[in-house]
Amino acid sequence: MADAKVIPFDDDRSRGGAGAGGAAQRPSRRRGAGHRRQGAGAAGTGDVQPLPGRAPAGDDVPMPPESRTPREARAEHDDGAAASGAVPGTGPGAGSGPGDEGGGLEQRVASGLAFLRRRLTGDYAVDDFGYDEELTDQVLMSLLRPVYEKYFRVEVKGIENIPSEGGALIVANHSGTLPLDALMMQVAVHDNHPADRHLRLLAADLVFMLPVVNELARKLGHTLACAEDAARLLEQGELVGVMPEGFKGLGKPFADRYKLQRFGRGGFVSTALRARTPIIPCSIVGAEEIYPMIGNGRTIARLLGFPYFPLTPTFPWLGPLGAIPLPTKWTIQFGEPIHTESYPPEAAEDPMLMFNLTDQVREQIQHTLYKLLVQRRSVFF
């Protein structure tokens, strides 16, 4: 494998066409920038076509079928099926007797078959970054949720600090040898936020060089960790997650656990200032101990093109079994937002201000980590 080229988030190189204006407010769960793929049986060649515009929410004119999101189409289909009695157990007069269980099972089977039909025919939407909301909600989150709830038993605090609408930049510490902390943070936002928001993570380009991982990351809404992509998402009113430590935090030795590494040159602060969106510090406790990294096989890492090759008490000595993470108890806390709306537009070019805000975010995350560690009873309970 060729050497991985890591593009730091704080690299402010222009890639052309990426604006950095104010954060746009967006209606909840509507994505006008999405695309719909045509299936094999549809007219045309199957190219990605832009979605037509939607009618305003207050209009009485029904939206045409082709302009509805997958979620809206499913909701309309389920409502119609329930009204006509097509789905057992959901129509008028459905009782609470033993037959309800069978009706619920049949409804789930029907919903699953409808989902498979949409996937096979290509009747689903993705946005410009490859994010597939339906697949994420129906499949990928369902696969991650048992790990989140049963294995790591994640406790979430401060979810109310994440705004219900509009763009925001969530900045978190990074650790654990493998980026499971980023995925758990994404599930925490998805499952706990009252506005049912999604977190769009910024990832190193190594993620998009790996087969299978590349496609799954795009489907989950991840994109390249660069200022241009972050600015576009913030301007669209998305929640964006970044871990400025990068590989320095992810691959640090176990002896340096919960000690934050350098946050770069403050590129995430500059992006938030340009988009005039709040910065939300996030502290994650529990990820440091899932793969205690006691050594680094640098020679093997260079041969494979990886930034490091972890040596843990179980890996690679136990083979595939050594890749199973330890079942630690996690806590994810979202801190109070740091607002940027009051700063003038030229503040993004002030290096001293960026340094001070970067240091403020880093100190808040570090202080919260220490507080959570003091409160923790055990690594595993």
Side-chain angles (χ1 to χ4, degrees):
M1 178 185 296
D3 288 347
K5 177 185 176 184
V6 178
I7 301 178
F9 175 72
D10 52 19
D11 186 356
D12 292 330
R13 296 170 298 176
S14 172
R15 286 166 38 171
Q25 300 292 330
R26 65 180 175 92
S28 177
R29 311 312 296 254
R30 298 281 182 93
R31 288 173 171 79
H35 293 77
R36 186 176 301 277
R37 293 179 178 171
Q38 294 181 343
T45 59
D47 293 337
V48 176
Q49 300 293 333
L51 285 172
R54 297 198 178 107
D59 273 350
D60 294 331
V61 180
M63 291 184 297
E66 65 272 10
S67 67
R68 300 186 182 104
T69 64
R71 175 169 296 187
E72 292 164 346
R74 292 196 305 275
E76 181 175 320
H77 175 271
D78 293 343
D79 291 344
S84 63
V87 181
T90 60
S96 57
D100 285 350
E101 294 181 4
L105 176 61
E106 290 183 20
Q107 184 178 7
R108 289 194 296 270
V109 170
S111 177
L113 292 175
F115 171 79
L116 289 176
R117 182 171 61 252
R118 288 191 297 272
R119 307 312 296 187
L120 292 174
T121 60
D123 185 22
Y124 58 91
V126 296
D127 71 3
D128 294 336
F129 298 92
Y131 171 50
D132 189 332
E133 181 179 344
E134 183 185 45
L135 184 68
T136 297
D137 288 343
Q138 300 296 324
V139 178
L140 301 180
M141 284 295 161
S142 298
L143 295 176
L144 292 172
R145 193 168 290 118
V147 181
Y148 170 90
E149 293 180 347
K150 306 298 183 183
Y151 199 77
F152 292 135
R153 295 147 290 147
V154 180
E155 178 183 359
V156 179
K157 299 180 179 181
I159 194 70
E160 66 277 2
N161 291 319
I162 300 176
S164 297
E165 58 182 10
L169 185 66
I170 299 178
V171 182
N173 59 304
H174 207 13
S175 62
T177 304
L178 292 180
L180 296 180
D181 52 354
L183 296 176
M184 295 300 103
M185 182 171 66
Q186 189 173 8
V187 179
V189 174
H190 181 276
D191 286 4
N192 292 277
H193 198 279
D196 195 23
R197 301 204 68 179
H198 280 187
L199 179 63
R200 308 293 295 273
L201 290 168
L202 304 178
D205 66 337
L206 176 61
V207 172
F208 303 105
M209 296 171 60
L210 300 174
V212 181
V213 174
N214 165 34
E215 194 66 25
L216 289 176
R218 289 290 185 188
K219 296 294 186 182
L220 274 165
H222 303 178
T223 189
L224 194 63
C226 64
E228 290 81 5
D229 284 1
R232 287 183 60 194
L233 289 170
L234 290 174
E235 289 166 4
Q236 294 172 13
E238 299 281 1
L239 283 181
V240 179
V242 62
M243 295 173 160
E245 292 176 281
F247 290 126
K248 298 188 301 293
L250 194 62
K252 66 177 176 287
F254 187 66
D256 293 336
R257 60 192 179 277
Y258 298 114
K259 296 178 182 177
L260 292 183
Q261 304 299 298
R262 183 174 173 267
F263 266 25
R265 300 191 298 271
F268 68 91
V269 171
S270 175
T271 301
L273 286 170
R274 289 192 175 95
R276 303 176 71 82
T277 54
I279 301 172
I280 302 171
C282 176
S283 303
I284 303 174
V285 166
E288 295 274 15
E289 295 89 1
I290 59 173
Y291 295 111
M293 187 169 165
I294 58 177
N296 183 6
R298 291 183 175 85
T299 301
I300 301 177
R302 283 195 297 268
L303 291 174
L304 296 176
F306 294 159
Y308 56 86
F309 186 84
L311 302 177
T312 74
T314 58
F315 183 83
W317 330 114
L318 298 182
L321 291 177
I324 300 176
L326 296 178
T328 58
K329 175 72 170 62
W330 287 36
T331 302
I332 299 178
Q333 179 162 337
F334 299 96
E336 294 185 2
I338 299 172
H339 294 281
T340 63
E341 297 88 345
S342 60
Y343 293 100
E346 61 272 14
E349 307 300 332
D350 185 349
M352 186 56 66
L353 176 62
M354 286 194 296
F355 174 81
N356 290 336
L357 286 177
T358 301
D359 193 57
Q360 180 182 350
V361 174
R362 188 179 182 278
E363 287 299 319
Q364 187 168 335
I365 295 173
Q366 185 70 80
H367 177 74
T368 305
L369 285 175
Y370 288 149
K371 184 176 67 174
L372 293 174
L373 288 171
V374 170
Q375 297 171 352
R376 184 170 66 169
R377 295 178 301 169
S378 166
V379 173
F380 299 100
F381 303 102

PDB file of all heavy atoms in Angstrom, residues 201-224:
ATOM      1  N   LEU A 201     -18.811  13.603  10.214  1.00  0.00           N
ATOM      2  CA  LEU A 201     -17.439  13.567  10.716  1.00  0.00           C
ATOM      3  C   LEU A 201     -16.430  13.864   9.618  1.00  0.00           C
ATOM      4  O   LEU A 201     -16.607  13.469   8.460  1.00  0.00           O
ATOM      5  CB  LEU A 201     -17.141  12.196  11.324  1.00  0.00           C
ATOM      6  CG  LEU A 201     -17.870  11.892  12.641  1.00  0.00           C
ATOM      7  CD1 LEU A 201     -17.725  10.416  12.989  1.00  0.00           C
ATOM      8  CD2 LEU A 201     -17.337  12.758  13.773  1.00  0.00           C
ATOM      9  N   LEU A 202     -15.353  14.545   9.996  1.00  0.00           N
ATOM     10  CA  LEU A 202     -14.224  14.795   9.103  1.00  0.00           C
ATOM     11  C   LEU A 202     -13.154  13.747   9.386  1.00  0.00           C
ATOM     12  O   LEU A 202     -12.744  13.560  10.526  1.00  0.00           O
ATOM     13  CB  LEU A 202     -13.665  16.201   9.333  1.00  0.00           C
ATOM     14  CG  LEU A 202     -14.672  17.351   9.189  1.00  0.00           C
ATOM     15  CD1 LEU A 202     -13.995  18.674   9.502  1.00  0.00           C
ATOM     16  CD2 LEU A 202     -15.280  17.387   7.800  1.00  0.00           C
ATOM     17  N   ALA A 203     -12.696  13.063   8.339  1.00  0.00           N
ATOM     18  CA  ALA A 203     -11.761  11.949   8.505  1.00  0.00           C
ATOM     19  C   ALA A 203     -10.509  12.166   7.660  1.00  0.00           C
ATOM     20  O   ALA A 203     -10.540  12.859   6.632  1.00  0.00           O
ATOM     21  CB  ALA A 203     -12.434  10.630   8.109  1.00  0.00           C
ATOM     22  N   ALA A 204      -9.406  11.568   8.093  1.00  0.00           N
ATOM     23  CA  ALA A 204      -8.151  11.623   7.345  1.00  0.00           C
ATOM     24  C   ALA A 204      -8.297  10.877   6.026  1.00  0.00           C
ATOM     25  O   ALA A 204      -9.135   9.970   5.878  1.00  0.00           O
ATOM     26  CB  ALA A 204      -7.018  11.015   8.170  1.00  0.00           C
ATOM     27  N   ASP A 205      -7.464  11.239   5.049  1.00  0.00           N
ATOM     28  CA  ASP A 205      -7.625  10.628   3.723  1.00  0.00           C
ATOM     29  C   ASP A 205      -7.262   9.153   3.714  1.00  0.00           C
ATOM     30  O   ASP A 205      -7.637   8.438   2.780  1.00  0.00           O
ATOM     31  CB  ASP A 205      -6.807  11.390   2.677  1.00  0.00           C
ATOM     32  CG  ASP A 205      -5.315  11.283   2.915  1.00  0.00           C
ATOM     33  OD1 ASP A 205      -4.927  11.023   4.067  1.00  0.00           O
ATOM     34  OD2 ASP A 205      -4.537  11.466   1.963  1.00  0.00           O
ATOM     35  N   LEU A 206      -6.570   8.650   4.745  1.00  0.00           N
ATOM     36  CA  LEU A 206      -6.301   7.218   4.841  1.00  0.00           C
ATOM     37  C   LEU A 206      -7.601   6.420   4.869  1.00  0.00           C
ATOM     38  O   LEU A 206      -7.688   5.324   4.299  1.00  0.00           O
ATOM     39  CB  LEU A 206      -5.470   6.921   6.090  1.00  0.00           C
ATOM     40  CG  LEU A 206      -5.180   5.442   6.377  1.00  0.00           C
ATOM     41  CD1 LEU A 206      -4.383   4.816   5.239  1.00  0.00           C
ATOM     42  CD2 LEU A 206      -4.448   5.280   7.701  1.00  0.00           C
ATOM     43  N   VAL A 207      -8.630   6.981   5.523  1.00  0.00           N
ATOM     44  CA  VAL A 207      -9.935   6.304   5.596  1.00  0.00           C
ATOM     45  C   VAL A 207     -10.493   6.067   4.196  1.00  0.00           C
ATOM     46  O   VAL A 207     -11.073   5.011   3.916  1.00  0.00           O
ATOM     47  CB  VAL A 207     -10.915   7.149   6.434  1.00  0.00           C
ATOM     48  CG1 VAL A 207     -12.324   6.581   6.368  1.00  0.00           C
ATOM     49  CG2 VAL A 207     -10.436   7.237   7.880  1.00  0.00           C
ATOM     50  N   PHE A 208     -10.289   7.020   3.296  1.00  0.00           N
ATOM     51  CA  PHE A 208     -10.871   6.936   1.961  1.00  0.00           C
ATOM     52  C   PHE A 208      -9.960   6.209   0.971  1.00  0.00           C
ATOM     53  O   PHE A 208     -10.276   6.121  -0.209  1.00  0.00           O
ATOM     54  CB  PHE A 208     -11.193   8.339   1.460  1.00  0.00           C
ATOM     55  CG  PHE A 208     -12.106   9.084   2.392  1.00  0.00           C
ATOM     56  CD1 PHE A 208     -11.619  10.090   3.207  1.00  0.00           C
ATOM     57  CD2 PHE A 208     -13.439   8.758   2.486  1.00  0.00           C
ATOM     58  CE1 PHE A 208     -12.450  10.769   4.080  1.00  0.00           C
ATOM     59  CE2 PHE A 208     -14.286   9.421   3.355  1.00  0.00           C
ATOM     60  CZ  PHE A 208     -13.786  10.431   4.149  1.00  0.00           C
ATOM     61  N   MET A 209      -8.841   5.671   1.468  1.00  0.00           N
ATOM     62  CA  MET A 209      -7.963   4.852   0.640  1.00  0.00           C
ATOM     63  C   MET A 209      -8.173   3.359   0.881  1.00  0.00           C
ATOM     64  O   MET A 209      -7.685   2.534   0.124  1.00  0.00           O
ATOM     65  CB  MET A 209      -6.496   5.211   0.906  1.00  0.00           C
ATOM     66  CG  MET A 209      -6.122   6.630   0.517  1.00  0.00           C
ATOM     67  SD  MET A 209      -4.464   7.072   1.095  1.00  0.00           S
ATOM     68  CE  MET A 209      -3.476   5.845   0.250  1.00  0.00           C
ATOM     69  N   LEU A 210      -8.880   3.024   1.957  1.00  0.00           N
ATOM     70  CA  LEU A 210      -9.077   1.623   2.313  1.00  0.00           C
ATOM     71  C   LEU A 210     -10.334   1.076   1.645  1.00  0.00           C
ATOM     72  O   LEU A 210     -11.393   1.715   1.685  1.00  0.00           O
ATOM     73  CB  LEU A 210      -9.200   1.475   3.835  1.00  0.00           C
ATOM     74  CG  LEU A 210      -7.999   1.950   4.654  1.00  0.00           C
ATOM     75  CD1 LEU A 210      -8.317   1.880   6.143  1.00  0.00           C
ATOM     76  CD2 LEU A 210      -6.770   1.110   4.330  1.00  0.00           C
ATOM     77  N   PRO A 211     -10.245  -0.095   1.024  1.00  0.00           N
ATOM     78  CA  PRO A 211     -11.441  -0.683   0.412  1.00  0.00           C
ATOM     79  C   PRO A 211     -12.503  -0.991   1.461  1.00  0.00           C
ATOM     80  O   PRO A 211     -12.178  -1.280   2.617  1.00  0.00           O
ATOM     81  CB  PRO A 211     -10.909  -1.965  -0.260  1.00  0.00           C
ATOM     82  CG  PRO A 211      -9.627  -2.265   0.453  1.00  0.00           C
ATOM     83  CD  PRO A 211      -9.050  -0.965   0.881  1.00  0.00           C
ATOM     84  N   VAL A 212     -13.752  -0.945   1.078  1.00  0.00           N
ATOM     85  CA  VAL A 212     -14.915  -1.185   1.931  1.00  0.00           C
ATOM     86  C   VAL A 212     -15.082  -0.045   2.950  1.00  0.00           C
ATOM     87  O   VAL A 212     -16.143   0.571   3.039  1.00  0.00           O
ATOM     88  CB  VAL A 212     -14.845  -2.555   2.647  1.00  0.00           C
ATOM     89  CG1 VAL A 212     -16.096  -2.757   3.495  1.00  0.00           C
ATOM     90  CG2 VAL A 212     -14.683  -3.686   1.651  1.00  0.00           C
ATOM     91  N   VAL A 213     -14.015   0.237   3.719  1.00  0.00           N
ATOM     92  CA  VAL A 213     -14.080   1.322   4.701  1.00  0.00           C
ATOM     93  C   VAL A 213     -14.409   2.635   4.015  1.00  0.00           C
ATOM     94  O   VAL A 213     -15.190   3.449   4.520  1.00  0.00           O
ATOM     95  CB  VAL A 213     -12.753   1.417   5.473  1.00  0.00           C
ATOM     96  CG1 VAL A 213     -12.746   2.631   6.410  1.00  0.00           C
ATOM     97  CG2 VAL A 213     -12.504   0.142   6.264  1.00  0.00           C
ATOM     98  N   ASN A 214     -13.806   2.856   2.847  1.00  0.00           N
ATOM     99  CA  ASN A 214     -14.048   4.069   2.090  1.00  0.00           C
ATOM    100  C   ASN A 214     -15.537   4.249   1.797  1.00  0.00           C
ATOM    101  O   ASN A 214     -16.129   5.304   2.065  1.00  0.00           O
ATOM    102  CB  ASN A 214     -13.238   4.023   0.794  1.00  0.00           C
ATOM    103  CG  ASN A 214     -13.681   5.059  -0.228  1.00  0.00           C
ATOM    104  OD1 ASN A 214     -14.083   6.145   0.137  1.00  0.00           O
ATOM    105  ND2 ASN A 214     -13.608   4.708  -1.496  1.00  0.00           N
ATOM    106  N   GLU A 215     -16.179   3.210   1.265  1.00  0.00           N
ATOM    107  CA  GLU A 215     -17.586   3.307   0.887  1.00  0.00           C
ATOM    108  C   GLU A 215     -18.480   3.472   2.106  1.00  0.00           C
ATOM    109  O   GLU A 215     -19.427   4.267   2.098  1.00  0.00           O
ATOM    110  CB  GLU A 215     -17.984   2.053   0.097  1.00  0.00           C
ATOM    111  CG  GLU A 215     -19.301   2.168  -0.649  1.00  0.00           C
ATOM    112  CD  GLU A 215     -19.257   3.197  -1.758  1.00  0.00           C
ATOM    113  OE1 GLU A 215     -18.146   3.473  -2.271  1.00  0.00           O
ATOM    114  OE2 GLU A 215     -20.326   3.735  -2.108  1.00  0.00           O
ATOM    115  N   LEU A 216     -18.190   2.727   3.171  1.00  0.00           N
ATOM    116  CA  LEU A 216     -19.006   2.835   4.379  1.00  0.00           C
ATOM    117  C   LEU A 216     -18.887   4.216   5.009  1.00  0.00           C
ATOM    118  O   LEU A 216     -19.873   4.769   5.507  1.00  0.00           O
ATOM    119  CB  LEU A 216     -18.591   1.753   5.381  1.00  0.00           C
ATOM    120  CG  LEU A 216     -18.961   0.320   5.026  1.00  0.00           C
ATOM    121  CD1 LEU A 216     -18.407  -0.648   6.056  1.00  0.00           C
ATOM    122  CD2 LEU A 216     -20.478   0.162   4.909  1.00  0.00           C
ATOM    123  N   ALA A 217     -17.683   4.778   5.000  1.00  0.00           N
ATOM    124  CA  ALA A 217     -17.492   6.109   5.573  1.00  0.00           C
ATOM    125  C   ALA A 217     -18.305   7.149   4.818  1.00  0.00           C
ATOM    126  O   ALA A 217     -18.937   8.026   5.421  1.00  0.00           O
ATOM    127  CB  ALA A 217     -16.008   6.473   5.566  1.00  0.00           C
ATOM    128  N   ARG A 218     -18.306   7.057   3.491  1.00  0.00           N
ATOM    129  CA  ARG A 218     -19.097   7.996   2.696  1.00  0.00           C
ATOM    130  C   ARG A 218     -20.589   7.834   2.995  1.00  0.00           C
ATOM    131  O   ARG A 218     -21.316   8.823   3.129  1.00  0.00           O
ATOM    132  CB  ARG A 218     -18.841   7.769   1.214  1.00  0.00           C
ATOM    133  CG  ARG A 218     -17.462   8.190   0.734  1.00  0.00           C
ATOM    134  CD  ARG A 218     -17.313   9.687   0.746  1.00  0.00           C
ATOM    135  NE  ARG A 218     -16.031  10.108   0.171  1.00  0.00           N
ATOM    136  CZ  ARG A 218     -15.601  11.359   0.208  1.00  0.00           C
ATOM    137  NH1 ARG A 218     -16.328  12.303   0.787  1.00  0.00           N
ATOM    138  NH2 ARG A 218     -14.437  11.679  -0.323  1.00  0.00           N
ATOM    139  N   LYS A 219     -21.054   6.599   3.089  1.00  0.00           N
ATOM    140  CA  LYS A 219     -22.465   6.365   3.361  1.00  0.00           C
ATOM    141  C   LYS A 219     -22.869   6.922   4.727  1.00  0.00           C
ATOM    142  O   LYS A 219     -23.990   7.397   4.924  1.00  0.00           O
ATOM    143  CB  LYS A 219     -22.777   4.865   3.311  1.00  0.00           C
ATOM    144  CG  LYS A 219     -22.571   4.220   1.946  1.00  0.00           C
ATOM    145  CD  LYS A 219     -23.546   4.743   0.915  1.00  0.00           C
ATOM    146  CE  LYS A 219     -23.420   3.986  -0.408  1.00  0.00           C
ATOM    147  NZ  LYS A 219     -24.343   4.528  -1.441  1.00  0.00           N
ATOM    148  N   LEU A 220     -21.960   6.858   5.698  1.00  0.00           N
ATOM    149  CA  LEU A 220     -22.232   7.369   7.041  1.00  0.00           C
ATOM    150  C   LEU A 220     -22.185   8.887   7.119  1.00  0.00           C
ATOM    151  O   LEU A 220     -22.506   9.458   8.160  1.00  0.00           O
ATOM    152  CB  LEU A 220     -21.227   6.781   8.034  1.00  0.00           C
ATOM    153  CG  LEU A 220     -21.570   5.419   8.626  1.00  0.00           C
ATOM    154  CD1 LEU A 220     -20.347   4.802   9.295  1.00  0.00           C
ATOM    155  CD2 LEU A 220     -22.711   5.537   9.634  1.00  0.00           C
ATOM    156  N   GLY A 221     -21.757   9.527   6.047  1.00  0.00           N
ATOM    157  CA  GLY A 221     -21.709  10.980   6.042  1.00  0.00           C
ATOM    158  C   GLY A 221     -20.352  11.571   6.348  1.00  0.00           C
ATOM    159  O   GLY A 221     -20.244  12.774   6.548  1.00  0.00           O
ATOM    160  N   HIS A 222     -19.305  10.746   6.383  1.00  0.00           N
ATOM    161  CA  HIS A 222     -17.963  11.251   6.635  1.00  0.00           C
ATOM    162  C   HIS A 222     -17.404  11.883   5.359  1.00  0.00           C
ATOM    163  O   HIS A 222     -17.751  11.478   4.242  1.00  0.00           O
ATOM    164  CB  HIS A 222     -17.038  10.124   7.097  1.00  0.00           C
ATOM    165  CG  HIS A 222     -17.535   9.406   8.314  1.00  0.00           C
ATOM    166  ND1 HIS A 222     -16.867   8.336   8.870  1.00  0.00           N
ATOM    167  CD2 HIS A 222     -18.631   9.593   9.082  1.00  0.00           C
ATOM    168  CE1 HIS A 222     -17.538   7.900   9.925  1.00  0.00           C
ATOM    169  NE2 HIS A 222     -18.618   8.647  10.069  1.00  0.00           N
ATOM    170  N   THR A 223     -16.515  12.830   5.540  1.00  0.00           N
ATOM    171  CA  THR A 223     -15.866  13.459   4.400  1.00  0.00           C
ATOM    172  C   THR A 223     -14.441  13.833   4.775  1.00  0.00           C
ATOM    173  O   THR A 223     -14.029  13.688   5.931  1.00  0.00           O
ATOM    174  CB  THR A 223     -16.652  14.690   3.917  1.00  0.00           C
ATOM    175  OG1 THR A 223     -16.106  15.150   2.675  1.00  0.00           O
ATOM    176  CG2 THR A 223     -16.588  15.811   4.939  1.00  0.00           C
ATOM    177  N   LEU A 224     -13.691  14.304   3.802  1.00  0.00           N
ATOM    178  CA  LEU A 224     -12.270  14.581   3.997  1.00  0.00           C
ATOM    179  C   LEU A 224     -12.063  15.701   5.008  1.00  0.00           C
ATOM    180  O   LEU A 224     -12.771  16.707   4.992  1.00  0.00           O
ATOM    181  CB  LEU A 224     -11.642  14.968   2.662  1.00  0.00           C
ATOM    182  CG  LEU A 224     -10.117  14.969   2.576  1.00  0.00           C
ATOM    183  CD1 LEU A 224      -9.560  13.578   2.802  1.00  0.00           C
ATOM    184  CD2 LEU A 224      -9.679  15.501   1.210  1.00  0.00           C
TER     185      LEU A 224
END
